[in-house]
Amino acid sequence: MSLDRVITPTILRPPERIMRLDRLGALQPSRLSFARQLLRRIAAERWVIRRTGWQLDADGNGHAVYGVDTGARHYALVVCVAGAETGVALCDGAPGPDDIARLSDSLPRVDIGRATAHELCLAKAGRDPDLWDHAVARLARGLQPDAEMVAASGVLMHSGPVLASGAHGTADRDQVADRPEMHAPFQAELLMLLLMRLFARDLVEHLARAAGGGNAARLDPDIDDALGLGLSAGLGLAAFPVSHPCLFNTWIMAREEAIGRVVALRHVRPLEWSAVRGHLAGLAASTATSRARDPMQVARNAALAAELAQLAQEMAKGPAGDRPWSRLMHWADNTLGPDGQEALASLMLEPYGDLVDGLGHCMSDRLDRDYRVDGCMSVGQVRALISTVHGWALDLDWSPGGAGALAWTKASDEFNPRLSPRAAAQAGPFELPLAIVHDAVRAWHCLGGYPANLAVAHVLLDHPEHRRATRRAQITGFAPYAEIRDNLIDAGVRPVDLIRATVSFLGATDFDPPSDRRMRVRVFAGVPAPGVGP
């Protein structure tokens, strides 16, 4: 390590600042995003992706298979199309004829069929209503899709909700979690989405050849690379970081550690500074051409564009002096809002793969499942932990007309939960345990009726309803970024901020929320697509 890479111990930004919804809703993808981790591994290990099966007729009905050879293992994407229905599955190993026959029957159903432990994840796919038919028609005539339509849509195909980790019969996460290529979160799901993007290109070219014969053109490589895969994320991804506090803590802590390492650098090379300026210009351009239609997001993008322009002016002064990243972050903290600050925080990691990429190994955690309540901890210690995290909420009015206005509910046959005004009909088995702050406050008041030195196990025997809140309080003792520092059942809550945080760690871009409870994004846009067959 050269002398200009020597860094002081990192100082992390405090959780009471970072774990607010307005800041989580400002996160941008970074080097640590899970899609970036997957792409780096594919390149470093020289994975081979081949189209090993293509049995589709002139109307696009049939099946296709894409094989992935990692050098150590084999995975395969099976895509089955029947009319307007398209289903996909990522298989653990090469699928045999019986597997393909079974999947061809179950995947294209409107209600996708059950999987087996041989399938790591499943999803339905849909063609983009604006670009798909246009692209097929243009390619069939030997022409390329209209550039404005490509820019306006940005995708040929959209993925529906991804079912994995035991859902619908898919393989349990433990089956693959210890494999190096699957250690980081969502690697199987993202590999499936990456292969779906390849299939979208191959299918649109196949249909163009069927319509245009020898006159048909292939998609221009630059257009192919620019197109991503569309995703629509709902309240399920808003609830994910709340229901996985230990895992989400590792994500935030790894990002904060990466930021701290870069900020602590005493010297910055001009090429590193210039590289960040280049990425800043790219983010400014994509923000200026955003597809977002939601008025609040449009206003937020306009504000971010203005802040990025300010940041560009400040960076034009160069990296002179001691600890220039620290000085720039301090300037941003005093000049920009959360959107501009978090954009800078993500961008300045880009030149420092040697410093930060290794943190990707720290972003998995099984304690959400494995951690057990420490019954020996004293009542006073548990109350102190709750006060540290949720002290701001101890005196709130938790009536339905106050801070307890909303309820998160979910029926057994629904993929995404619902968030709606609290009513008596929503109590009981349909309400999800996502009123984290309310539950913590109730536990704090209850514990106050017992001696501070009493083991909390004695209280939980009398009041098992506070077991979950006690467990979460204990988790914050070793996982400081585990809890959101806002009330998730307040009438003014915007779950889209939590969705944005989750998809930013996935590596999604082009945030377009049609409401405060859904988010449309793209994945793998701008990633060069490998050739996989004729």
Side-chain angles (χ1 to χ4, degrees):
M1 180 179 287
S2 61
L3 290 178
D4 60 354
R5 274 290 187 274
V6 175
I7 58 177
T8 58
T10 53
I11 299 175
L12 306 186
R13 296 185 295 177
E16 56 268 21
R17 178 187 178 198
I18 301 306
M19 301 304 292
R20 299 299 304 274
L21 287 177
D22 63 341
R23 188 165 295 273
L24 293 172
L27 296 188
Q28 294 280 349
S30 73
R31 291 192 66 94
L32 291 175
S33 297
F34 305 127
R36 297 277 297 273
Q37 293 188 42
L38 174 64
L39 293 172
R40 284 197 297 270
R41 181 178 290 274
I42 289 174
E45 298 178 357
R46 299 190 177 187
W47 291 12
V48 177
I49 300 175
R50 294 190 179 94
R51 198 176 75 197
T52 58
W54 190 265
Q55 300 296 321
L56 290 136
D57 62 23
D59 295 322
N61 296 309
H63 74 268
V65 181
Y66 292 77
V68 180
D69 183 359
T70 72
R73 291 182 184 82
H74 191 88
Y75 301 95
L77 179 80
V78 177
V79 188
C80 302
V81 185
E85 300 296 331
T86 300
V88 300
L90 184 71
C91 299
D92 188 8
D98 291 344
D99 295 314
I100 292 176
R102 173 176 53 82
L103 292 170
S104 295
D105 176 63
S106 65
L107 286 179
R109 295 178 187 172
V110 174
D111 182 12
I112 199 167
R114 295 281 295 178
T116 69
H118 186 58
E119 285 84 55
L120 300 181
C121 39
L122 310 172
K124 298 298 292 289
R127 302 170 187 180
D128 184 76
D130 298 320
L131 186 58
W132 184 272
D133 290 340
H134 167 80
V136 171
R138 294 277 291 185
L139 292 174
R141 293 164 52 198
L143 304 172
Q144 292 299 311
D146 179 76
E148 290 187 1
M149 290 194 67
V150 170
S153 177
V155 300
L156 286 170
M157 190 168 279
H158 300 261
S159 172
V162 177
L163 304 169
S165 299
H168 242 64
T170 54
D172 190 80
R173 166 72 177 160
D174 286 347
Q175 180 175 315
V176 299
D178 292 331
R179 301 178 186 179
E181 71 274 15
M182 294 292 164
H183 177 71
F186 299 113
Q187 295 301 280
E189 294 90 332
L190 287 164
L191 177 59
M192 184 178 74
L193 297 177
L194 178 65
L195 298 175
M196 286 173 65
R197 176 176 175 249
L198 299 182
F199 171 74
R201 175 201 63 191
D202 290 352
L203 181 58
V204 82
E205 292 181 345
H206 170 83
L207 295 176
R209 286 194 299 271
N215 294 324
R218 302 192 71 168
L219 197 61
D220 181 272
D222 289 339
I223 296 177
D224 186 16
D225 292 349
L227 291 169
L229 183 78
L231 288 177
S232 182
L235 289 178
L237 285 188
F240 185 88
V242 185
S243 56
H244 297 79
C246 295
L247 181 61
F248 196 55
N249 172 78
T250 66
W251 300 1
I252 299 292
M253 183 166 279
R255 184 176 185 269
E256 290 303 308
E257 173 68 22
I259 295 167
R261 290 183 182 184
V262 172
V263 165
L265 287 171
R266 298 199 63 173
H267 304 291
V268 175
R269 302 184 183 106
L271 283 177
E272 295 165 349
W273 192 267
S274 295
V276 174
R277 291 184 68 190
H279 289 293
L280 172 60
L283 178 59
S286 64
T287 301
T289 57
S290 170
R291 301 170 181 83
R293 302 180 184 91
D294 174 63
M296 290 190 67
Q297 187 63 38
V298 170
R300 193 167 188 173
N301 286 343
L304 175 59
E307 292 188 342
L308 295 178
Q310 288 181 273
L311 179 57
Q313 290 180 344
E314 187 67 19
M315 290 196 70
K317 300 175 183 177
D322 193 45
R323 293 189 173 85
W325 292 125
S326 178
R327 289 190 292 104
L328 188 61
M329 281 290 284
H330 181 73
W331 171 86
D333 289 345
N334 289 286
T335 308
L336 309 179
D339 288 275
Q341 293 166 18
E342 297 308 320
L344 171 60
S346 288
L347 292 171
M348 71 182 185
L349 305 184
E350 289 299 323
Y352 300 109
D354 58 332
L355 281 180
V356 306
D357 286 355
L359 293 168
H361 298 293
C362 307
M363 298 176 74
S364 292
D365 200 305
R366 299 184 185 180
L367 281 176
D368 286 313
R369 181 193 65 187
D370 297 341
Y371 182 76
R372 299 293 180 264
V373 172
D374 177 8
C376 295
M377 181 178 285
S378 72
V379 165
Q381 288 175 301
V382 175
R383 293 191 85 219
L385 289 170
I386 293 174
S387 295
T388 298
V389 177
H390 302 300
W392 54 272
L394 295 177
D395 296 322
L396 292 181
D397 170 18
W398 289 98
S399 68
L406 303 177
W408 294 73
T409 61
K410 184 180 180 182
S412 60
D413 60 346
E414 294 177 333
F415 182 83
N416 280 307
R418 301 179 184 182
L419 182 62
S420 49
R422 181 172 297 278
Q426 293 172 322
F430 294 108
E431 184 165 0
L432 297 174
L434 299 179
I436 304 302
V437 182
H438 181 217
D439 292 346
V441 170
R442 289 177 62 237
W444 185 85
H445 285 296
C446 177
L447 292 171
Y450 291 82
N453 61 353
L454 180 69
V456 74
H458 295 289
V459 182
L460 297 180
L461 285 173
D462 295 335
H463 296 280
E465 69 272 17
H466 298 312
R467 182 181 180 86
R468 182 181 291 110
T470 298
R471 180 179 182 270
R472 293 187 73 107
Q474 292 178 348
I475 286 172
T476 63
F478 59 82
Y481 298 98
E483 294 288 20
I484 312 299
R485 308 301 174 100
D486 278 294
N487 175 22
L488 300 182
I489 57 172
D490 185 82
V493 70
R494 283 178 53 83
V496 73
D497 289 330
L498 281 173
I499 300 174
R500 166 75 176 262
T502 305
V503 297
S504 74
F505 277 104
L506 290 179
T509 58
D510 301 286
F511 309 108
D512 179 14
S515 73
D516 64 0
R517 300 177 188 194
R518 284 184 58 224
M519 175 79 77
R520 290 189 293 248
V521 296
R522 293 195 301 163
V523 290
F524 299 116
V527 175
V532 292

